[in-house]
């Protein structure tokens, strides 16, 4: 009974104040969609990190006849140099960082090269001697590339230590930038939403001052008087958040999951399912902000 | 039931207090007229009992409780024990008579069955049986005030405060309202009524407390609106009070300014 009455009051308030409530819904919707997009970008970054970091390796290229770097001044790598590199890879100094490694000889490198460029005219002209032999090292933690680089780059017979991760880092920093921008826009919009909710509640309280005046006089509790207004703000914000959740999910499912995955297969994109964890976040932000701004407004403009 | 102990209320330090050192006590079941000119402190007196205001000095006891000491979350409970009626009725214009009275029960969380039982009963008491479905604008002033009284007593308060309930009504209608208030008083409710209406006070012959410039200048049981000039000190009678009924336009009444505190 009591609950039904509060809900009834809430909806009659929403009806009377419909245009304001709709604007609260829209502003919350747009601002939380920005929040959701930023969340999707972060999820995508994580997904790509997980996907690629397992696959990227640190390659320790060894000197060949054609190497030009100063570390290879003494000519191609000798058996002794190769063994000492391998010894270091097996040593207790490097072991904590290295998950596994493989030696790739010049012949194997040629095979891989010919496989990758089999449709190119180049594949016929390249010989095994032109390709460097290498150690392919998978790291325990891909972030610790620098340690491996320091250990091996100065060793004799090593031409260069290259980290395939560097390329990815550039993409990630670009995506991070985009999510920062999305969050900044979202923050400004959320401030708008909070102020709009406060104004809406204030208008609603003003338009129902007769009712609230009578409620006070007959001794209705603070909850009974204020809850309908609080719910009005929270419901409006919640509807906006639901729309934003739907949009965020649709972006993940159809744009990223279907379209982008179709365009760039094998990249490790997120899908709609991954976006689902953002929904509680969006709803939570909406409820929290709406409740907070409503309570502050009511404390000021609806005395009990 | 209601006790004022040396109560002073100052709204604005530069002007004189609205109430000055008022001490008075009303017993359970009493019917008391609060009379006095505009600005004599009648409305402040009522607002203090409702804890719309707090006394600047002194203590106001309602049903044994010092209302100034009441924590704010207990104030609704205090108000549940007090029904209030105003000069301007304050009905909800978009609700029927029945809904207006039921509203006062709904906001206290009363059950549907109880509402269905109590509302017709109380409408019967105020003489509005059969008009449940009317809208406030379809009623006369007297009928509207009866709805307001029904709303004030539907939760069975111990005290009924009436702030110039007949201020907007003609003398005949006023008498009808008075008989309703009298009936409520007969049922055991303490009634405190602020008024300007000398006819009513003189006819009812109940306890009269007269305020002037924030002080009680007269308190007599079965009193009239104005006592025999020989009986009291004539200097204490406010000269503006000679035509009291016409001196309080609705707008100057602090309680009557609707929505000011909402």
């Amino acid at each position: 009974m009591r609950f039904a009455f509060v809900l009834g009051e809430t909806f009659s308030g929403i009806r009377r104040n419909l245009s304001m409530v709709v604007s609260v819904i829209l502003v919350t919707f747009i601002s939380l969609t920005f929040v959701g997009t930023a969340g999707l970008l972060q999820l995508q970054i994580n997904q790509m990190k997980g996907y690629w970091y397992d696959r990227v390796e640190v390659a320790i290229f060894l000197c060949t006849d054609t190497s030009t770097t100063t570390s290879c001044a003494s000519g191609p790598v000798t058996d002794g140099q190769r063994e000492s590199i391998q010894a270091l890879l097996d040593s207790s100094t490097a072991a904590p960082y290295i998950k596994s490694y493989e030696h790739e000889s010049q012949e194997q490198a040629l095979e891989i090269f010919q496989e990758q460029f089999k449709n190119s005219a180049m594949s016929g002209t390249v010989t095994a001697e032109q390709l460097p032999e290498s150690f392919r090292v998978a790291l325990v933690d891909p972030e610790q590339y620098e340690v491996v680089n320091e250990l091996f780059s100065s060793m004799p017979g090593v031409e260069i230590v290259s980290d395939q991760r560097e390329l990815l880092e550039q993409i990630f920093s670009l995506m991070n930038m985009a999510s920062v921008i999305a969050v900044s826009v979202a923050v400004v919009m959320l401030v708008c939403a909070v102020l709009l909710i406060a104004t809406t509640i204030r208008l609603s309280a003003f338009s129902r001052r007769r009712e609230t005046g009578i409620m006070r006089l007959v001794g209705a509790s603070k909850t009974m008087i204020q809850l309908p207004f609080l719910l009005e703000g929270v419901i409006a914000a919640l509807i906006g958040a639901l729309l934003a959740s739907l949009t965020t999910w649709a972006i993940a499912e159809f744009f990223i999951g279907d379209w982008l995955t179709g365009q760039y297969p094998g990249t490790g994109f997120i899908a709609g399912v991954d976006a689902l964890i953002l929904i509680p976040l969006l709803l939570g932000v909406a409820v929290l902000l709406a409740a907070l701004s409503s309570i502050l407004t009511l404390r000021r403009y609806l005395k009990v | 039931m209601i006790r004022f102990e040396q109560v002073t209320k100052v709204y604005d330090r530069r002007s004189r207090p609205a109430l000055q050192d008022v001490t008075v006590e009303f017993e359970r079941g009493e019917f008391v007229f609060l009379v006095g000119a505009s600005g004599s402190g009648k409305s402040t007196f009522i607002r203090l009992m409702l804890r719309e205001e707090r006394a600047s000095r002194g203590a106001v006891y309602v049903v044994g409780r010092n209302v100034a000491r009441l924590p704010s979350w207990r104030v609704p409970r205090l108000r549940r024990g007090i029904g209030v009626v105003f000069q301007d009725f304050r009905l909800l214009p978009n609700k029927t008579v029945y809904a207006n009275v039921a509203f006062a029960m709904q906001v206290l969380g009363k059950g549907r069955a109880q509402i269905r039982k109590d509302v017709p009963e109380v409408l019967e008491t105020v003489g509005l049986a059969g008009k449940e479905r009317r809208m406030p604008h379809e009623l006369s002033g007297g009928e509207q005030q009866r709805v307001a009284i029904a709303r004030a007593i539907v939760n069975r308060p111990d005290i009924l405060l009436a702030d110039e309930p007949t201020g907007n009504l003609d003398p005949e209608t006023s008498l009808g309202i008075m008989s309703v208030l009298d009936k409520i008083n007969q049922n055991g409710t303490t009634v405190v009524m602020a008024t300007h209406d000398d006819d009513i006070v003189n006819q009812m012959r109940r306890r009269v407390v007269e305020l002037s410039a924030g002080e009680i200048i007269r308190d007599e049981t079965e009193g009239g609106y104005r006592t025999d000039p020989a009986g009291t000190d004539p200097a204490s009678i406010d000269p503006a009070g000679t035509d009291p009924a016409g001196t309080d336009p609705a707008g100057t009444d602090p309680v009557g300014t609707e929505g000011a505190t909402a």
Side-chain angles (χ1 to χ4, degrees):
Chain A
M1 177 63 210
R2 182 177 279 238
F3 189 65
F5 179 75
V6 169
L7 272 189
E9 287 294 297
T10 306
F11 285 109
S12 87
I14 289 176
R15 259 200 308 281
R16 280 202 211 181
N17 216 358
L18 195 62
S19 61
M20 288 297 281
V21 170
V22 168
S23 58
V24 168
I25 291 174
L26 291 180
V27 172
T28 324
F29 165 40
I30 301 297
S31 51
L32 288 177
T33 304
F34 274 98
V35 174
T37 310
L40 284 181
L41 278 165
Q42 288 303 321
L43 284 178
Q44 182 59 48
I45 290 172
N46 280 335
Q47 172 90 351
M48 285 175 100
K49 275 187 179 163
Y51 183 85
W52 284 108
Y53 280 7
D54 282 347
R55 286 166 180 74
V56 297
E57 295 163 331
V58 175
I60 303 169
F61 291 107
L62 307 182
C63 294
T64 61
D65 293 332
T66 49
S67 300
T68 51
T69 51
T70 49
S71 58
C72 291
S74 55
V77 64
T78 64
D79 287 345
Q81 287 171 341
R82 187 184 302 114
E83 272 162 29
S84 62
I85 293 167
Q86 195 158 359
L88 182 59
L89 281 169
D90 291 327
S91 73
S92 57
T93 332
Y97 307 108
I98 292 171
K99 192 154 66 180
S100 66
Y101 70 90
E102 273 173 39
H103 178 252
E104 188 180 297
S105 69
Q106 286 181 308
E107 286 70 29
Q108 286 167 325
L110 181 66
E111 268 173 43
I112 293 168
F113 183 87
Q114 281 175 337
E115 176 66 28
Q116 278 179 341
F117 294 93
K118 63 184 172 199
N119 297 325
S120 155
M122 241 181 10
S123 61
T125 63
V126 175
T127 62
E129 286 71 41
Q130 287 170 309
L131 295 171
E133 65 179 291
S134 60
F135 286 102
R136 298 284 166 162
V137 183
L139 298 184
V140 173
D141 176 5
E143 309 269 345
Q144 281 170 330
Y145 155 75
E146 272 307 320
V147 181
V148 178
N149 186 25
E150 261 174 46
L151 279 174
F152 293 95
S153 60
S154 57
M155 286 196 66
V158 172
E159 185 182 1
I160 194 166
V161 179
S162 99
D163 182 15
Q164 294 175 310
R165 215 168 51 101
E166 255 172 60
L167 265 174
L168 288 171
E169 288 299 324
Q170 287 176 3
I171 300 173
F172 291 157
S173 70
L174 212 66
M175 290 168 79
N176 264 326
M177 194 89 81
S179 66
V180 166
I181 292 171
V183 166
S184 318
V185 174
V187 165
V188 175
M189 301 277 299
L190 284 174
V191 170
C192 286
V194 165
L195 294 178
L196 195 61
I197 290 168
T199 313
T200 306
I201 298 300
R202 211 172 131 185
L203 265 179
S204 193
F206 184 75
S207 74
R208 271 153 65 202
R209 61 194 186 284
R210 283 173 184 275
E211 280 86 347
T212 51
I214 289 162
M215 285 178 166
R216 293 176 65 235
L217 280 177
V218 301
S221 64
K222 193 174 164 180
T223 321
M224 200 67 167
I225 297 176
Q226 296 195 340
L227 198 59
F229 296 99
L230 183 84
L231 283 180
E232 193 177 327
V234 169
I235 286 174
L238 212 52
I239 294 173
L242 281 172
L243 290 176
S245 301
L246 198 70
T247 310
T248 305
W249 174 81
I251 289 173
E253 177 72 17
F254 299 115
F255 176 68
I256 302 177
D258 288 355
W259 191 75
L260 274 183
T261 309
Q263 295 287 306
Y264 306 97
T267 313
F269 284 113
I270 54 170
V273 190
D274 301 299
L276 293 182
I277 63 158
L278 288 174
I279 291 174
L281 174 82
L282 296 184
L283 299 183
V285 167
V287 171
L288 203 73
L289 289 182
L292 213 67
S293 63
S294 303
I295 287 169
L296 291 180
T297 312
L298 289 172
R299 183 177 292 181
R300 184 130 177 239
Y301 293 100
L302 188 67
K303 296 204 182 78
V304 177
Chain B
M1 199 67 178
I2 299 167
R3 192 164 84 241
F4 278 55
E5 282 181 1
Q6 297 178 314
V7 173
T8 298
K9 175 65 189 175
V10 183
Y11 285 107
D12 176 359
R13 286 180 193 289
R14 282 159 297 181
S15 53
R16 66 163 180 76
L19 284 180
Q20 175 93 61
D21 204 23
V22 168
T23 300
V24 71
E25 182 163 5
F26 303 149
E27 299 297 333
R28 181 178 289 273
E30 247 186 321
F31 194 119
V32 185
F33 284 113
L34 215 53
V35 301
S38 288
S40 58
K42 300 190 301 292
S43 292
T44 300
F45 196 98
I46 284 175
R47 291 172 68 84
L48 283 170
M49 283 186 269
L50 288 168
R51 223 245 208 175
E52 296 265 20
E53 304 287 349
R54 284 195 215 214
S56 310
R57 275 190 299 283
V60 178
Y61 291 91
V62 176
V63 201
R65 272 179 216 287
N66 184 345
V67 297
R69 291 266 177 80
L70 226 49
S72 61
W73 62 273
R74 293 290 285 274
V75 171
R77 190 196 276 189
L78 165 78
R79 292 184 183 152
R80 264 172 246 172
I82 306 174
V84 201
V85 180
F86 298 99
Q87 187 174 2
D88 57 358
F89 321 138
R90 299 195 191 178
L91 302 178
L92 299 175
N94 54 348
K95 286 191 194 296
T96 62
V97 166
Y98 181 92
N100 261 287
V101 179
F103 185 76
M105 296 184 78
Q106 286 167 335
V107 300
L108 298 188
K110 297 281 170 67
R112 199 166 303 197
Q114 198 186 349
I115 292 175
R116 286 220 188 95
K117 182 171 104 32
D118 288 2
V119 174
E121 232 175 71
V122 78
L123 284 175
E124 173 89 46
T125 309
V126 299
L128 282 177
K131 298 202 168 160
E132 288 89 347
R133 306 221 136 271
R134 302 284 194 90
M135 300 302 280
H137 66 89
E138 299 168 342
L139 300 175
S140 71
E143 286 169 327
Q144 290 188 42
Q145 190 60 291
R146 284 165 193 254
V147 178
I149 292 170
R151 183 178 64 193
I153 60 166
V154 74
N155 291 316
R156 307 179 197 285
D158 296 322
I159 300 166
L160 178 64
L161 303 181
D163 194 3
E164 317 223 11
T166 59
N168 279 346
L169 306 175
D170 59 70
E172 223 165 299
T173 314
S174 299
L175 284 181
I177 294 297
M178 288 319 296
S179 77
V180 171
L181 291 179
D182 191 41
K183 198 197 299 186
I184 292 163
N185 179 239
Q186 302 291 323
N187 291 339
T189 308
T190 312
V191 178
V192 179
M193 172 170 162
T195 188
H196 276 126
D197 198 327
D198 48 353
D199 279 347
I200 284 170
V201 177
N202 290 334
Q203 277 185 26
M204 297 282 290
R205 286 286 146 190
R206 298 301 184 96
R207 181 170 170 193
V208 174
V209 173
E210 183 169 355
L211 285 165
S212 174
E215 290 178 72
I216 293 181
I217 55 168
R218 180 160 67 95
D219 181 355
E220 51 188 77
T221 47
E222 295 187 26
Y225 188 80
R226 194 146 303 294
T227 43
D228 188 25
T232 50
D233 176 12
S236 68
I237 293 170
D238 192 339
T242 46
D243 178 19
T247 51
D248 191 10
T252 60
D253 185 339
V255 174
T257 49
E258 185 193 344
T261 51

